[in-house]
Amino acid sequence: MGVSRRKVYVETYGCQMNVSDSELMLGILSKEGYTAVEAPDEADVILINTCAVREHAEQRIIGRLGDLYQFKQRNPRLILGVCGCMAQHIGEQIIARAPYVDLVMGPDVYRQLPEAIERIETDELYVSLSLDKTEHYDGVVPVRQEGVRAWLTIMRGCDKFCTFCIVPYVRGRERSLPMEEVLRQVHRVVDQGYQEVILLGQTVNSYRDGDRDFGDLLQAVAEVAGIRRIRFTSPHPSDFAPSILDVIASNDKICKQIHLPLQSGSTSVLKAMRRSYTAEEFAALIEQIRTRIPQIALGTDIIVGFSGETEQDFLATCQMMEDIRFDTAFMFKYSPRKGTIADRKLADDVPEDEKTRRLQTIIDIQQQITRESNQAMIGHTVEVLVEGESRRDPEKMFGKTDDFRTTILPGGNHRIGDLVQVKIVDSTGHTLLGETSHARSNCGDCPMP
Ligand code: SAH
Ligand code: SF4
Ligand code: F3S
């Protein structure tokens, strides 16, 4: 080992792919003797893993870099690195605006981290931004951060090139982890004591290994002994083969929850976005999913104020949300991204205050639907995977249902990782409140029935 033992702090922004990548970064570094620490003031190396999906995300990170600079002022030997999608997107600008940054690294070159850190000891700056369409990080053992849930990136990159989206430029071409490697990692996750695995990819259902597709992979993962719950995110509506639905419907371990980004309810906007489906095709897919898996919970992503979106287009989105009644939705104002097709060819022509109004309108629609969807759970008994102590009340625990609703339950004797039957008795906007039935003693010593 060429370096003295070092402490590394990784701060993660953006989507679950970044959460998973941060775990891989820590995996690569821990193999070289580094240890992860929980706070920046304990670290010799600070890495921030960044997101470029909207301008707001980038601005937040620029602000955060300013905060982290104080640690460098206190400790001149501290290494400060910017990794991930924003590094890939505007690495040069980061160096210009924050010249105290030591390392700028895109998402495909994290294997270089140990060498890079060593080089920074003698050089001033290490920049590496090449995308590598063969990099899957196979063989890297991630250092996992979360308690009960293991994130597992099964495909990287994206080939869809939706006109608004930066991801294909900062994450490179689509590539899938070989199925044997996925299964090896699922076995490892089980051995480490995780109950739940979430398969990740920007278009996770485009997964392919030879002639085996995402449905085959899901089936194989469900057959791994010891795994209790399987989820995946995010599938693309155009790649949802009916066989995938069959696998979900027929496997208890595969959670009955699908996050399926719609983006817009107007076919002409979808076309301008290059989403490759019409509003009618999306609605038909939802119908097919609900027919095959009636208990499914559905989530979505919506963008308002995209180039050329008229009031009529916007109302079509509102109508579609009312018709489909997604259980949850992430909603965004369109944010032009430098280098994308929309930014080069289409005008960002919906005024900011109109984007704000449209966003607020759909947030109101969705809040009402989410509230009603949660209220409909009252009286049902559901299985909750216990994740931890409730932040508001240490006497209580929290966890997720099979369909990914956050549920608060009495602490009782439950431990993190337990699967508990919970009767839902109330709900707030986003959370279910549950009761557990009194544990029946089977010790034989007491006179309980
Ligand atoms: N791969 C996923 C989405 C990844 S990005 C998919 O195709 O479904 C997550 C979400 O961010 C997108 O679904 C979209 O709703 C939103 N998003 C992406 N680019 C955006 C932009 N330029 N402006 C606003 N929202 C955007
Ligand atoms: Fe972006 Fe579209 Fe790829 Fe999703 S499918 S990551 S929205 S380009
Ligand atoms: Fe952001 Fe990169 Fe994910 S741009 S949304 S962190 S893939």
Side-chain angles (χ1 to χ4, degrees):
M1 194 172 66
V3 288
S4 58
R5 200 172 178 84
R6 282 178 180 268
K7 295 185 178 136
V8 57
Y9 169 72
V10 182
E11 190 166 285
T12 308
Y13 294 83
C15 67
Q16 301 310 334
M17 307 280 301
N18 262 14
V19 173
S20 168
D21 278 2
S22 291
E23 294 179 345
L24 291 171
M25 287 155 72
L26 286 173
I28 289 163
L29 287 170
S30 70
K31 210 162 163 239
E32 301 300 319
Y34 290 78
T35 48
V37 293
E38 299 284 320
D41 58 358
E42 296 168 27
D44 311 306
V45 180
I46 296 177
L47 300 173
I48 53 176
N49 194 4
T50 62
C51 174
V53 80
R54 283 169 291 277
E55 196 186 341
H56 176 73
E58 290 192 340
Q59 279 168 350
R60 228 176 116 206
I61 289 157
I62 293 283
R64 182 62 179 147
L65 272 177
D67 297 344
L68 293 174
Y69 183 44
Q70 57 169 308
F71 296 105
K72 251 192 102 77
Q73 284 172 314
R74 266 185 251 150
N75 171 9
R77 288 200 64 228
L78 177 77
I79 291 174
L80 179 57
V82 182
C83 305
C85 299
M86 180 184 169
Q88 190 70 41
H89 186 213
I90 52 163
E92 299 296 321
Q93 285 177 45
I94 295 171
I95 297 162
R97 288 188 63 170
Y100 47 84
V101 162
D102 302 290
L103 170 110
V104 176
M105 198 176 254
D108 280 350
V109 288
Y110 296 143
R111 287 186 203 265
Q112 295 172 13
L113 271 170
E115 184 203 332
I117 292 169
E118 247 182 288
R119 289 254 298 270
I120 292 166
E121 300 283 355
T122 48
D123 289 342
E124 286 198 339
L125 176 68
Y126 187 98
V127 181
S128 184
L129 296 171
S130 44
L131 290 170
D132 176 355
K133 64 176 191 277
T134 62
E135 181 57 278
H136 302 106
Y137 293 110
D138 34 335
V140 175
V141 180
V143 173
R144 298 194 181 278
Q145 302 292 292
E146 261 197 67
V148 294
R149 191 170 297 127
W151 307 101
L152 177 44
T153 300
I154 62 156
M155 55 89 65
R156 301 180 70 86
C158 179
D159 287 352
K160 299 275 191 233
F161 287 92
C162 302
T163 55
F164 54 82
C165 185
I166 196 67
V167 170
Y169 303 90
V170 295
R171 290 256 165 196
R173 297 290 55 77
E174 188 180 308
R175 65 211 97 129
S176 297
L177 192 63
M179 191 142 141
E180 280 61 42
E181 176 69 13
V182 176
L183 294 175
R184 211 172 299 133
Q185 295 206 23
V186 175
H187 277 288
R188 188 182 299 134
V189 159
V190 171
D191 290 345
Q192 289 171 336
Y194 288 91
Q195 280 77 15
E196 183 172 307
V197 68
I198 306 197
L199 309 178
L200 291 176
Q202 284 300 348
T203 57
V204 72
N205 53 336
S206 316
Y207 178 89
R208 191 152 270 285
D209 178 14
D211 57 3
R212 295 176 294 184
D213 69 6
F214 184 64
D216 298 322
L217 179 78
L218 266 184
Q219 180 61 45
V221 172
E223 283 164 17
V224 171
I227 199 79
R228 311 281 290 272
R229 280 181 168 183
I230 301 154
R231 302 182 193 280
F232 56 89
T233 198
S234 285
H236 191 284
S238 301
D239 292 338
F240 229 111
S243 55
I244 299 175
L245 293 180
D246 292 338
V247 176
I248 300 169
S250 57
N251 270 291
D252 285 346
K253 291 181 186 176
I254 303 176
C255 293
K256 303 301 182 262
Q257 170 234 351
I258 299 178
H259 186 80
L260 196 62
L262 166 64
Q263 313 299 3
S264 168
S266 153
T267 294
S268 63
V269 173
L270 288 170
K271 201 160 171 225
M273 288 176 162
R274 210 194 251 180
R275 280 297 284 184
S276 71
Y277 51 84
T278 63
E280 292 70 30
E281 284 164 348
F282 188 93
L285 174 60
I286 295 288
E287 180 72 31
Q288 197 187 359
I289 293 173
R290 285 191 163 142
T291 307
R292 190 74 187 84
I293 316 166
Q295 74 273 43
I296 200 85
L298 291 167
T300 199
D301 294 346
I302 309 265
I303 297 175
V304 292
F306 185 62
S307 311
E309 184 187 74
T310 62
E311 180 65 14
Q312 209 181 350
D313 294 320
F314 171 64
L315 290 175
T317 299
C318 298
Q319 189 61 51
M320 197 134 175
M321 292 174 76
E322 305 264 18
D323 291 346
I324 293 178
R325 295 180 62 80
F326 295 102
D327 299 280
T328 54
F330 296 125
M331 295 160 278
F332 312 102
K333 289 190 243 184
Y334 171 53
S335 166
R337 305 281 61 213
K338 207 142 219 57
T340 58
I341 300 164
D343 188 55
R344 282 183 275 129
K345 302 212 166 140
L346 304 171
D348 177 25
D349 54 4
V350 177
E352 184 59 26
D353 56 351
E354 181 58 16
K355 286 183 185 172
T356 305
R357 183 192 69 84
R358 291 182 190 180
L359 180 64
Q360 193 54 53
T361 306
I362 61 167
I363 288 174
D364 291 344
I365 293 174
Q366 187 57 44
Q367 267 182 354
Q368 176 73 13
I369 297 172
T370 299
R371 198 176 307 123
E372 287 168 9
S373 158
N374 281 340
Q375 271 164 4
M377 299 295 292
I378 295 173
H380 289 260
T381 296
V382 292
E383 191 177 68
V384 174
L385 174 57
V386 179
E387 277 181 47
E389 254 179 29
S390 161
R391 250 174 268 148
R392 293 222 183 118
D393 179 353
E395 305 261 293
K396 299 214 159 113
M397 308 284 282
F398 80 98
K400 296 268 193 214
T401 62
D402 175 289
D403 61 3
F404 215 56
R405 296 175 205 256
T406 303
T407 307
I408 309 287
L409 60 147
N413 297 323
H414 309 307
R415 281 169 314 176
I416 293 172
D418 284 352
L419 279 166
V420 180
Q421 296 297 316
V422 177
K423 182 165 183 211
I424 303 304
V425 292
D426 203 354
S427 75
T428 63
H430 290 280
T431 311
L432 302 179
L433 304 173
E435 275 176 359
T436 42
S437 49
H438 294 292
R440 198 177 279 259
S441 168
N442 57 3
C443 65
D445 290 339
C446 42
M448 279 185 67

